[in-house]
Amino acid sequence: MPKLEGKLSTRLILSVVAIGLLGFSDIMLETALNVSFPLLMTEFDVTSSTVQWLTSGVILLTSMVVILSPWLKQRFTNRSQFMVATVISIVGVLIDAVSSNFGLTLFGRLLQGIGGGVGMPLMYNVIFEQVPENKRGTMVGIGSLIISFAPAIGPAFGGYLTQNFGWRTVFWVVLPVQIGSLVIGWFTIKQVSRLTKEKLDLIGWVLLSAFFVAGIFVIERISSHGVTNIASVALLLMMFGGIGGYLLYAPHVVNPLLNPAIFKFKIFSLSITASFITQVVNLTFNYALPMTIQMVLFQNSQVAGLTLLPGALGYALMAIISGRLYDRYGARLPIMIGLVLILIGTIMMAVLPISLYGMLFSFLVIQLGSGFWFGNNMTNAISHVPTNYQSAGNSIFTATNNYSAAVGIALAAGIISIFQKHADSADRLITATHLGATWLFRIDVFLIVLAAIFSVRVLTSVNKKG
């Protein structure tokens, strides 16, 4: 259990940096490939709803691995988890660097998803286990800063490399980053908690995985074929059966993978709901903006990446600043600033005419708000549950954020595909993409208002508790 007060050691900071670099490289590849989707659709002769699996499929697998985090934490040392995850990710990077077809490219990305699925919760486990309470906000900010630099440089960097050297070059550039992360982690990551020989709750993992897998597939299926067909109904039954079965099963297990009892804490349940919705909205922009910029505004992938750059840099900068604000003033100030900015930016995206600078500025405002909100929302929620629930809370947040990211991408791809599928000429495809993006942004406004309501209720609950 961490001390209430204390200083951050250089070793601890470097260990968080090493694990953060694993998450950084995984997310950078994801965002770098997003701006290359139109090119990949042509090269591999696949549709927009298929190419998005290079991102949402990886996020889905990452979520399935993340839910194993509490068991991995009890069973294996921090360093062994990190080393295995990084090696698996490196193999995936090498496969994609030489890939010549869509199936092989997807396989390489899935291996990277396994690495990211171990790395993301591991970083926050180290922070909440080893960092003094009075430094947690700052350290979460540092971790978020490292990871958030990935979407900051990913689109611009990926766009530049794709435009000038080909999309595979991105993987060769990421390779030395992961090797460097491996070396730093070997020397700095330490173990402070005792290990146990806890058995894997395979039934619980299968039930949760059924929920995650069906949830992603059902969005794509309904968007392309509607609800009134056997496959859509089967997927819906699988999704609700998975989560319902787990909620009935988990109370009868001594150490469930993700303890549902944590949801009895109102602050946590409201925070995780708000986080899920906000991340869905956030990822719709990461998918839709590069697609719209290239297919409607006729800009290349490099321009699309540069359009996202200011917003992503703003997120990275605000993550560390807001962490310091959290440590000094508490959760209310950074969370409220974040909510206001996200709301303003999302409304701007929906009401302003689609243009390069309009989307750039709107996305910048959204990401500035996200930098204030995301890390502090998680820190506030996990800090308000008992210590024995914190590992489960961390895993639930990481799994939910990954899952909601996949939902956001699938939602954006599904809505745009609905409008695109009846376009029988190039001109109609442009119009359809424009209209699809417009309706997507309108739906985003409704969703973000809903998330804001939940987030404000969190702050109200904290005040009443205090």
Side-chain angles (χ1 to χ4, degrees):
M1 183 174 178
K3 300 177 182 178
L4 292 178
E5 296 183 358
K7 294 182 179 180
L8 297 174
S9 68
T10 302
R11 180 202 60 77
L12 180 55
I13 294 174
L14 286 175
S15 68
V16 172
V17 169
I19 304 170
L21 284 174
L22 177 59
F24 164 87
S25 58
D26 182 59
I27 296 173
M28 190 176 80
L29 289 172
E30 171 192 321
T31 55
L33 281 183
N34 280 353
V35 299
S36 305
F37 278 177
L39 175 65
L40 295 175
M41 288 165 61
T42 301
E43 180 168 336
F44 293 131
D45 191 25
V46 294
T47 64
S48 61
S49 59
T50 299
V51 77
Q52 59 94 17
W53 283 102
L54 289 174
T55 296
S56 59
V58 174
I59 294 173
L60 176 59
L61 183 59
T62 299
S63 299
M64 294 170 63
V65 175
V66 163
I67 59 181
L68 294 173
S69 176
W71 174 73
L72 292 172
K73 182 178 183 295
Q74 293 178 332
R75 184 78 173 174
F76 304 101
T77 65
N78 293 334
R79 187 164 67 172
S80 63
Q81 290 181 60
F82 172 76
M83 299 299 291
V84 171
T86 306
V87 169
I88 290 174
S89 186
I90 287 174
V91 171
V93 169
L94 286 171
I95 288 174
D96 282 340
V98 298
S99 172
S100 59
N101 61 73
F102 182 78
L104 192 60
T105 302
L106 179 59
F107 177 67
R109 289 288 294 129
L110 291 176
L111 290 180
Q112 294 152 38
I114 294 174
V118 174
M120 293 291 286
L122 178 60
M123 184 183 75
Y124 290 112
N125 277 337
V126 169
I127 290 174
F128 282 97
E129 185 179 68
Q130 301 182 29
V131 174
E133 280 189 28
N134 65 321
K135 299 293 184 181
R136 278 183 187 169
T138 299
M139 205 62 202
V140 169
I142 292 174
S144 299
L145 175 67
I146 297 167
I147 293 173
S148 59
F149 259 115
I153 68 174
F157 195 55
Y160 172 78
L161 291 176
T162 298
Q163 189 70 25
N164 296 282
F165 304 103
W167 61 270
R168 293 176 185 83
T169 312
V170 177
F171 295 95
W172 289 113
V173 172
V174 164
L175 185 61
V177 174
Q178 292 204 328
I179 294 174
S181 169
L182 190 72
V183 173
I184 296 172
W186 172 262
F187 289 105
T188 61
I189 297 174
K190 302 294 182 183
Q191 186 71 24
V192 298
S193 61
R194 294 180 59 186
L195 298 179
T196 63
K197 297 299 181 181
E198 189 70 35
K199 291 184 178 180
L200 174 62
D201 178 13
L202 186 59
I203 295 175
W205 183 75
V206 169
L207 289 170
L208 287 171
S209 296
F211 166 69
F212 284 125
V213 172
I216 295 299
F217 276 101
V218 78
I219 292 174
E220 183 192 14
R221 181 71 190 182
I222 290 175
S223 66
S224 58
H225 297 86
V227 182
T228 56
N229 61 83
I230 295 176
S232 295
V233 173
L235 286 168
L236 283 169
L237 290 174
M238 179 179 171
M239 182 179 72
F240 289 115
I243 190 63
Y246 185 79
L247 292 175
L248 291 173
Y249 164 80
H252 303 288
V253 180
V254 177
N255 289 307
L257 273 176
L258 300 179
N259 194 341
I262 195 173
F263 290 98
K264 70 183 180 182
F265 301 103
K266 184 178 180 181
I267 292 172
F268 182 87
S269 59
L270 289 172
S271 296
I272 197 71
T273 303
S275 182
F276 177 86
I277 298 171
T278 306
Q279 183 76 325
V280 167
V281 171
N282 215 27
L283 266 292
T284 62
F285 295 130
N286 277 282
Y287 176 88
L289 264 59
M291 184 76 68
T292 305
I293 289 168
Q294 293 175 80
M295 297 187 70
V296 176
L297 301 180
F298 309 112
Q299 302 294 329
N300 59 40
S301 59
Q302 184 174 343
V303 173
L306 289 171
T307 302
L308 301 181
L309 179 61
L313 286 174
Y315 182 104
L317 181 62
M318 292 306 105
I320 185 66
I321 291 175
S322 66
R324 297 295 296 272
L325 288 177
Y326 181 98
D327 287 337
R328 187 167 183 177
Y329 300 107
R332 172 173 285 273
L333 179 62
I335 285 178
M336 286 305 299
I337 292 173
L339 280 178
V340 171
L341 290 174
I342 294 172
L343 276 167
I344 291 173
T346 306
I347 292 171
M348 289 170 56
M349 192 75 76
V351 301
L352 293 177
I354 286 181
S355 67
L356 192 64
Y357 291 107
M359 288 191 290
L360 184 154
F361 188 67
S362 299
F363 188 68
L364 171 61
V365 175
I366 292 167
Q367 293 306 293
L368 288 173
S370 297
F372 272 97
W373 190 83
F374 272 104
N376 291 305
N377 176 64
M378 183 186 73
T379 305
N380 183 53
I382 296 178
S383 296
H384 280 88
V385 300
T387 304
N388 59 310
Y389 284 100
Q390 288 185 351
S391 177
N394 170 34
S395 299
I396 291 171
F397 254 98
T398 307
T400 300
N401 283 337
N402 277 284
Y403 182 58
S404 57
V407 171
I409 293 170
L411 177 65
I415 290 175
I416 292 176
S417 293
I418 289 173
F419 288 88
Q420 288 179 335
K421 65 182 179 181
H422 296 301
D424 54 6
S425 67
D427 288 340
R428 289 187 177 181
L429 181 62
I430 294 168
T431 303
T433 305
H434 186 292
L435 192 58
T438 301
W439 274 103
L440 175 64
F441 298 154
R442 290 171 181 172
I443 293 171
D444 283 337
V445 172
F446 168 77
L447 292 175
I448 211 65
V449 168
L450 188 62
I453 292 171
F454 287 120
S455 191
V456 170
R457 288 186 63 191
V458 170
L459 298 177
T460 303
S461 298
V462 171
N463 282 346
K464 288 180 179 179
K465 186 177 180 180

